[in-house]
Amino acid sequence: MEEKRKYNIYKTIMIIVLTAFITFIITALVGYNYVTKGDGAKLLVRETSSNQDLIVQLEKYKSIIDEFYLGEVNEEDLKEGAIKGYIEGLGDPYTEYISKEEMKEYMEDTLGNYVGIGIYMLFDEENGKIKVLAPMKGSPAETVGIKSGDIIETVDGEEYTKDEMSEVANKIKGKEGTTVKIGIKRGEENLEFEVTRQNIKVNPVEGKILENNIGYIQFASFDETTYEDFKAKYEELKNQGITSLIIDLRNNGGGLVDQATDIADLFVEKDTPLLYEVDKDGNEEVIKAENDVTINIPTIILTNENTASASEILAGALKDLGKAKIVGTKTYGKGIIQQIIPLSDGSGIKITTEEYQTPNRNKIHEVGIEPDETVELPETVTNVLEILEDQDTQLQKAIELLK
């Protein structure tokens, strides 16, 4: 179970800049080939007529390259390009090939630590670019002045589109102490920031006490320690006398699903269904609470349009089960699950395998979760992470409801 948790990694549309699949696509498609899945299961690749067609096509192109191409040929680069292009043909922005060189860093990033500049990113459909969701607090990006909503135009002088987010993430990562230049468009301004990479703890869980003994807990993603950090922060606030709780999931793009269900488990009775995971064949797994109730105080969850994936699982579960009210705006609507499948040569594939449903069987993907109380922020607010408490209409509404 522990190993399954380690490899059943679920990522959101938001990618944190931290950032053989088959030894070669031809050999992987011939005969029977086995690769190791995270939970020890085996994957079987069968030879089919369509596979044979693909092999023939690749052999044709290889022959043309060998006969006519003027430059030097790097066979490994061709193999990786073929694999990557094959997977990109799915048209799923959440499914991607991870090379052997990237795999170790990718797992470290996902589990909560990385060397980078400290920003969360997402696709910006409006302009076809990559947008900064938010800089991490205290990060190099925040220090130099990169802000939420900034559009990333270039990295070290190279332009990128929204379909190249993985490339941007890998480009921004690097050795600690080295620098990277980020070209930003902010409104009508074109800016460039030179940022020094640092080793960064991705996701601190922060908390404080508001008026009327209301506890407030906020975190930006779900990594390997989020549940333990959340529980510890709650116990700290409880010992200081809180009588109600606000969980701020605004701009939380998700992460590890088991961390979200473990937090939900704190609020509900043992054996209560928290989440349904349904695969392509209609098979489903029911995730249930494993422990007795730990948190039994009035609770409100704050959401916005950037609340996605694992954060929607937590919000949806507590809303359906009557354990929390939702205040803010409708969530993003990412209700599909990705799993990282490591392969025998050290590479891997992050692939969409299932969709999830809330305890009341509500789908989230491309739908989102509607709040119980819809509250917009003032038009003058451009970044929820920088807003003053007295101007935060969503937070103030939550406080009003808990008084």
Side-chain angles (χ1 to χ4, degrees):
M1 174 62 72
E2 185 61 31
E3 189 168 345
K4 181 178 180 182
R5 283 192 173 190
K6 183 176 179 181
Y7 287 112
N8 284 6
I9 306 297
Y10 309 105
K11 300 289 283 182
T12 75
I13 185 162
M14 176 198 70
I15 292 183
I16 302 174
V17 173
L18 353 141
T19 353
F21 158 56
I22 34 190
T23 52
F24 179 40
I25 199 165
I26 293 178
T27 57
L29 293 173
V30 176
Y32 296 89
N33 293 280
Y34 294 87
V35 294
T36 301
K37 192 176 177 181
D39 60 4
K42 299 293 184 181
L43 298 178
L44 182 62
V45 180
R46 293 183 180 276
E47 180 179 339
T48 66
S49 59
S50 62
N51 292 346
Q52 285 295 327
D53 290 341
L54 177 59
I55 293 168
V56 171
Q57 290 294 322
L58 287 174
E59 289 288 7
K60 285 181 181 179
Y61 289 118
K62 188 177 186 305
S63 296
I64 293 171
I65 290 171
D66 290 342
E67 184 172 354
F68 296 106
Y69 182 63
L70 177 63
E72 293 186 6
V73 176
N74 185 313
E75 290 291 341
E76 289 303 314
D77 287 347
L78 287 180
K79 293 174 185 179
E80 291 224 342
I83 296 167
K84 183 177 180 180
Y86 189 75
I87 294 171
E88 285 181 350
L90 292 171
D92 178 4
Y94 307 113
T95 295
E96 63 178 313
Y97 165 69
I98 308 169
S99 70
K100 178 180 179 179
E101 292 73 21
E102 296 168 337
M103 189 67 171
K104 183 175 183 293
E105 289 183 1
Y106 194 97
M107 294 301 297
E108 289 174 352
D109 295 346
T110 304
L111 296 177
N113 294 279
Y114 78 101
V115 175
I117 66 171
I119 60 175
Y120 301 107
M121 302 187 301
L122 50 73
F123 306 116
D124 188 4
E125 298 291 349
E126 184 177 340
N127 58 29
K129 294 287 187 177
I130 299 166
K131 182 167 71 173
V132 176
L133 174 61
M136 300 175 194
K137 291 184 178 180
S139 68
E142 183 184 56
T143 300
V144 300
I146 293 176
K147 297 182 178 181
S148 176
D150 284 349
I151 302 299
I152 297 176
E153 295 281 351
T154 62
V155 180
D156 280 340
E158 294 185 37
E159 292 188 15
Y160 291 93
T161 70
K162 70 177 181 63
D163 297 320
E164 299 172 299
M165 189 177 291
S166 293
E167 287 86 344
V168 170
N170 291 329
K171 185 80 172 180
I172 291 178
K173 289 189 299 182
K175 292 183 179 180
E176 187 171 11
T178 60
T179 61
V180 60
K181 292 181 179 179
I182 309 296
I184 293 293
K185 188 171 183 63
R186 183 183 297 163
E188 299 301 318
E189 289 186 279
N190 290 299
L191 308 169
E192 185 174 79
F193 298 92
E194 185 168 342
V195 194
T196 302
R197 299 178 177 98
Q198 293 179 7
N199 193 298
I200 293 171
K201 165 66 178 173
V202 171
N203 182 35
V205 174
E206 299 179 326
K208 58 186 176 182
I209 298 180
L210 305 175
E211 58 184 287
N212 293 92
N213 294 320
I214 298 172
Y216 172 89
I217 297 178
Q218 185 272 339
F219 50 100
S221 66
F222 293 80
D223 67 30
E224 195 175 35
T225 66
T226 299
Y227 163 72
E228 292 295 342
D229 294 345
F230 178 92
K231 187 177 180 182
K233 182 59 65 176
Y234 169 75
E235 291 295 337
E236 176 188 322
L237 297 178
K238 177 184 176 183
N239 291 336
Q240 296 178 52
I242 65 168
T243 56
S244 58
L245 180 64
I246 295 172
I247 304 173
D248 193 344
L249 296 182
R250 293 176 295 181
N251 285 9
N252 185 313
L256 305 183
V257 168
D258 68 299
Q259 298 295 301
T261 54
D262 284 351
I263 292 175
D265 194 332
L266 296 170
F267 291 81
V268 303
E269 295 74 14
K270 187 176 181 179
D271 294 325
T272 301
L274 301 172
L275 179 69
Y276 294 92
E277 299 176 356
V278 185
D279 69 15
K280 63 187 296 183
D281 297 318
N283 302 314
E284 67 178 31
E285 180 179 359
V286 185
I287 308 300
K288 296 182 178 181
E290 298 178 355
N291 303 292
D292 294 325
V293 176
T294 299
I295 301 176
N296 190 24
I297 57 177
T299 300
I300 287 178
I301 296 176
L302 298 179
T303 64
N304 66 3
E305 66 277 8
N306 295 322
T307 301
S309 194
S311 57
E312 292 176 287
I313 287 175
L314 176 57
L318 297 188
K319 178 184 179 183
D320 278 7
L321 298 170
K323 300 299 181 179
K325 289 188 178 297
I326 312 297
V327 172
T329 55
K330 187 171 75 170
T331 63
Y332 182 86
K334 181 181 182 289
I336 50 179
I337 296 169
Q338 283 71 49
Q339 178 174 337
I340 289 182
I341 301 176
L343 302 202
S344 58
D345 71 341
S347 64
I349 179 173
K350 177 166 71 73
I351 187 169
T352 300
T353 56
E354 298 161 300
E355 72 170 358
Y356 54 74
Q357 300 172 5
T358 68
N360 288 350
R361 294 289 191 172
N362 295 317
K363 292 187 177 184
I364 294 174
H365 195 58
E366 298 181 342
V367 176
I369 296 174
E370 293 285 352
D372 297 290
E373 294 275 351
T374 298
V375 181
E376 300 281 352
L377 291 175
E379 293 183 0
T380 55
V381 175
T382 58
N383 183 1
V384 68
L385 300 179
E386 299 175 354
I387 190 173
L388 298 174
E389 279 187 17
D390 60 355
Q391 297 175 357
D392 189 340
T393 51
Q394 294 168 342
L395 177 62
Q396 292 304 317
K397 182 64 175 181
I399 293 173
E400 175 190 327
L401 292 171
L402 290 173
K403 283 183 178 179

